[in-house]
Each structure stands twice: as structure tokens, then as C-alpha cells.
Amino acid sequence: MKIAQDTVVALNFTLTDDAGEIIDSSEGDALSYLHGHGELVVGLERALTGRTVGDKLEVTVAPEDGYGEVQDGLEITVERAELPDDLEPEVGMELACDGPDDETLTMWIVEVGDNVVRLDGNHPLAGQTLHFKVEVVSIRPASPLELDHGHVHEDDDGDAIDSGAYTH
Ligand code: ZN
């Protein structure tokens, strides 16, 4: 079986930046994702399409195929009191915010002050070239429920859980 639209793929991966520093890694616990649904950055999905189990690849992804270029003017400062009461803000935390047209915007906390918090709409990896080392561990067709939800439902063995038993 080859990686194609609507397959569930498990990967071992290591992501490093231009300096060779490790940004993220599956650390032996393979990452499962639904191919073709925007879960991975575009450049990595494109490189994985058509690959098969056991394939190892090194993929360099430019910002435009990764998390985008850094855009100016996406930072805002909010009062801590405007954040949900149960939220303890930390740098790097991802928040879903209401945009000006009631759309949902993803923002990242970049600074936490005593009274205010600064948020940035740029992904923390925006503007960075991403270097992935990837090994394809398994490939299976997605279940109907997985396709309906647009993400993977599976147990620790990598088998699909196609019932209400799956908790998100
Ligand atoms: Zn689901």
C-alpha cells in the first residue's frame, strides 16, 4: 500500500531547524495522521505521497510550504482578565481566539506580564526552513468515521476505533 489521500500513516520523525537543533521528534512513539487533510505541513505531505512502509526520507521544507512567512502586525496585547479564568498563560501556548468577523483565529502566547499577555498570530515556526527525517512505519485505509471527522481514531496498536468508544 502506498501513501495516498485518505490513508492513515504512522511515522517516526525528527524535525530540526537550520542550525541542526531538534525542534520536535516522535521519540520512538510513531505519530499517526490522516493523509491529505492538512494535518502535516504541505511540503511534508507532498514528499510523503506515494511512499511505502519502510521508506526513509529527508525532506527540507521552505517556509511557504511549512508554517508560512512571518507576517507583521499579527501581535496583540490583551488584559489577563480577558483570558478564561481557568487558563494559566504560558509562553508558547496556543489559543483559539474570536476574530473580528467571528472567525476562529489561532494565536500563540509570546509574552506573559503581570497584567497583560502578548499574543502573536504567527506560528512559532513561521519563517523557518524545516528539516524532517522521516520513516514510514505503517499505512492503512482510513475508516469512514475517521474520514468524517478528518482525524485519526485508533488504539495503541494502531488499529482504527470506528465506534463511539473513541474519546477525543
Ligand atoms: Zn473524531
Side-chain angles (χ1 to χ4, degrees):
M1 182 160 197
K2 286 182 174 169
I3 297 176
Q5 180 71 33
D6 300 341
T7 53
V8 172
V9 182
L11 299 175
N12 286 322
F13 76 95
T14 304
L15 169 60
T16 51
D17 63 16
D18 275 332
E21 296 285 334
I22 294 178
I23 299 170
D24 196 7
S25 159
S26 55
E27 292 174 339
D29 187 16
L31 164 87
S32 292
Y33 78 97
L34 181 58
H35 192 82
H37 291 257
E39 287 189 64
L40 303 186
V41 294
V42 173
L44 183 56
E45 280 213 334
R46 190 187 300 144
L48 284 164
T49 301
R51 299 296 183 141
T52 190
V53 171
D55 280 1
K56 294 180 183 177
L57 51 158
E58 294 191 17
V59 186
T60 300
V61 176
E64 65 262 31
D65 291 329
Y67 292 102
E69 301 287 357
V70 175
Q71 292 177 259
D72 290 334
L74 297 187
E75 287 198 14
I76 57 167
T77 301
V78 298
E79 301 285 330
R80 280 184 76 145
E82 291 178 53
L83 299 174
D85 288 341
D86 57 352
L87 184 89
E88 190 55 48
E90 279 177 50
V91 171
M93 193 178 270
E94 187 177 330
L95 298 180
C97 304
D98 294 329
D101 300 314
D102 272 348
E103 74 278 36
T104 301
L105 297 176
T106 305
M107 306 283 289
W108 285 266
I109 296 176
V110 290
E111 203 178 314
V112 179
D114 288 338
N115 299 311
V116 294
V117 171
R118 269 187 346 123
L119 305 174
D120 191 340
N122 288 295
H123 189 281
L125 295 176
Q128 293 211 39
T129 300
L130 309 170
H131 303 268
F132 290 96
K133 264 191 187 172
V134 176
E135 179 182 9
V136 182
V137 176
S138 68
I139 308 167
R140 64 169 171 81
S143 72
L145 192 62
E146 286 174 324
L147 290 177
D148 189 38
H149 284 207
H151 55 230
V152 173
H153 291 181
E154 67 182 18
D155 61 21
D156 291 342
D157 296 325
D159 295 320
I161 300 174
D162 210 8
S163 75
Y166 188 83
T167 49
H168 291 84

